[in-house]
Amino acid sequence: MTLLAIEQLNVWFDLDGGRQLHAVRGVDLSLDAGERVGLVGESGCGKSTTVLAVMGLLPPNASVSGRILLDGKDLLEQGERSMVPHRWRDVAMVFQGAMNALNPVRTVGDQIREPIELHGIATGERAQARVGELLELVGIPATAGARYPHEFSGGMRQRASIAMALACKPKVLLADEPTTALDVMVQAQILQLLMSLSDELGLTLLLVTHDLPVVAQTCGRAAVMYAGQIVESGPIDELFHDPRHPYTRLLFAATPDLVGTDEVVSIPGAPPPLDRPIQGCPFQPRCPAAFDRCLQEDPALRPVSAFHRAACHLNEVAAGMGRGVR
Ligand code: SF4
């Protein structure tokens, strides 16, 4: 059953000189209860902006349209105001870089207690006990709550920020590059923690990352973003073994494998500037398979199998010829 549905989400940022940057362009994404979904793409493709829009945490120069439905209720119905009661309580977020989420001059325990008291979940000793439970849930001794963030290692800080996000027992956890800046061993531990928490607590997880192997290890489904749009989405197996968008294929080719047998290629060029209209397919200037139609027409995200969708004209050409794109 769908728990979170993002429908036709658009985000614009007002820039100097009356210009606007169209950072998220008609994103549709839904998550079933208890599902783990990856949102993948290069820096600046709109992944983080999408999750910040879901949290209602965009800066004042942003404007948003579309619908964000949680259990069928539109969180954007009355603008950011309608998001406030749900933020942290129903939908919580783990931010990129734990130091961004933690206040350096307050103890970790105080910071985890704040949302518990703010949302009326518990006060006083009961709130303190909940802080201890949350720290232990993420593998930190309860007594460490009296320490300051600088007294924690990078991995412990990220665990503490996960504890803070879980403080109000949210249904949905948005994790924005939760393993960035951590060493490989700690990355693996944090991912394992997120997976076991989502299993144990029945959490629905949207994992934002540029790291395809991370998505493969943790998620059942993924969506690939490019230039503010979702260009491909589907079950992990299909996406990894039968990618149908040239950008997804190039992302795989740009990912080193563990044994180093495949040559790693870089994707030539850069994404289009999003402060001006885009003519045709946004990936066209970088696409090795582009043809005439790509210059004129932006491809829609269309089914290529029961649960797999891609936004590339080649799939229609191939479907017309009775075969898939390779
Ligand atoms: Fe490449 Fe054309 Fe497909 Fe865009 S629509 S990804 S330019 S082949």
Side-chain angles (χ1 to χ4, degrees), residues 245-247 281-285 287-291 294 297 299 311-314:
H245 195 285
Y247 176 62
C281 172
F283 192 55
Q284 175 272 322
C287 181
F291 57 109
C294 311
E297 207 182 310
C312 173
H313 296 312
L314 285 175

Side-chain angles (χ1 to χ4, degrees), residues 8-31:
Q8 279 303 298
L9 182 72
N10 285 278
V11 179
W12 295 267
F13 291 104
D14 292 332
L15 304 177
D16 292 343
R19 288 178 307 129
Q20 278 197 319
L21 188 143
H22 196 174
V24 175
R25 306 186 306 130
V27 162
D28 289 314
L29 184 66
S30 65
L31 284 86

Side-chain angles (χ1 to χ4, degrees), residues 228-292:
Q229 295 176 321
I230 289 182
V231 295
E232 184 157 9
S233 67
I236 289 294
D237 275 359
E238 279 195 49
L239 210 61
F240 277 62
H241 294 116
D242 188 18
R244 295 298 191 91
H245 195 285
Y247 176 62
T248 313
R249 287 203 285 271
L250 285 170
L251 272 185
F252 285 125
T255 305
D257 66 3
L258 275 180
V259 283
T261 48
D262 290 337
E263 190 188 345
V264 177
V265 299
S266 63
I267 306 177
L274 298 178
D275 60 348
R276 61 198 76 163
I278 298 171
Q279 173 78 32
C281 172
F283 192 55
Q284 175 272 322
R286 306 171 80 184
C287 181
F291 57 109
D292 290 352

Side-chain angles (χ1 to χ4, degrees), residues 85-104:
H86 301 281
R87 192 185 295 152
W88 304 119
R89 189 151 202 158
D90 291 319
V91 185
M93 182 163 172
V94 177
F95 291 89
Q96 202 174 123
M99 268 320 248
N100 300 338
L102 297 170
N103 182 337

Side-chain angles (χ1 to χ4, degrees), residues 42-281:
E42 289 169 286
S43 299
C45 70
K47 317 180 292 288
S48 297
T49 305
T50 300
V51 291
L52 287 171
V54 174
M55 285 295 287
L57 290 175
L58 290 167
N61 68 334
S63 47
V64 180
S65 74
R67 300 204 306 165
I68 297 170
L69 302 162
L70 181 71
D71 266 335
K73 185 179 178 346
D74 187 1
L75 304 183
L76 286 179
E77 201 170 30
Q78 292 165 16
E80 199 164 310
R81 262 185 316 139
S82 29
M83 181 65 216
V84 173
H86 301 281
R87 192 185 295 152
W88 304 119
R89 189 151 202 158
D90 291 319
V91 185
M93 182 163 172
V94 177
F95 291 89
Q96 202 174 123
M99 268 320 248
N100 300 338
L102 297 170
N103 182 337
V105 297
R106 294 184 60 204
T107 66
V108 169
D110 275 357
Q111 295 181 63
I112 297 173
R113 199 174 61 222
E114 186 173 307
I116 296 171
E117 294 190 331
L118 210 66
H119 285 273
I121 289 167
T123 54
E125 283 182 9
R126 289 183 64 188
Q128 198 54 40
R130 174 84 184 129
V131 170
E133 282 168 23
L134 284 160
L135 284 170
E136 284 176 356
L137 185 67
V138 298
I140 297 175
T143 50
R147 285 153 60 184
Y148 289 88
H150 73 268
E151 297 176 282
F152 277 25
S153 67
M156 281 175 79
R157 283 197 289 266
Q158 195 56 294
R159 285 172 188 271
S161 63
I162 293 170
M164 197 155 70
L166 298 178
C168 302
K169 300 186 179 169
K171 297 172 186 159
V172 181
L173 187 65
L174 312 172
D176 187 8
E177 303 274 9
T179 56
T180 298
L182 298 176
D183 69 49
V184 184
M185 294 299 285
V186 180
Q187 271 187 26
Q189 291 165 5
I190 295 294
L191 289 174
Q192 189 54 50
L193 174 67
L194 284 171
M195 281 196 292
S196 55
L197 287 173
S198 76
D199 288 341
E200 280 167 35
L201 308 176
L203 264 179
T204 303
L205 179 69
L206 181 62
L207 179 67
V208 173
T209 180
H210 61 275
D211 195 333
L212 288 163
V214 161
V215 170
Q217 285 164 38
T218 48
C219 299
R221 206 156 55 83
V224 179
M225 279 191 85
Y226 184 77
Q229 295 176 321
I230 289 182
V231 295
E232 184 157 9
S233 67
I236 289 294
D237 275 359
E238 279 195 49
L239 210 61
F240 277 62
H241 294 116
D242 188 18
R244 295 298 191 91
H245 195 285
Y247 176 62
T248 313
R249 287 203 285 271
L250 285 170
L251 272 185
F252 285 125
T255 305
D257 66 3
L258 275 180
V259 283
T261 48
D262 290 337
E263 190 188 345
V264 177
V265 299
S266 63
I267 306 177
L274 298 178
D275 60 348
R276 61 198 76 163
I278 298 171
Q279 173 78 32
C281 172

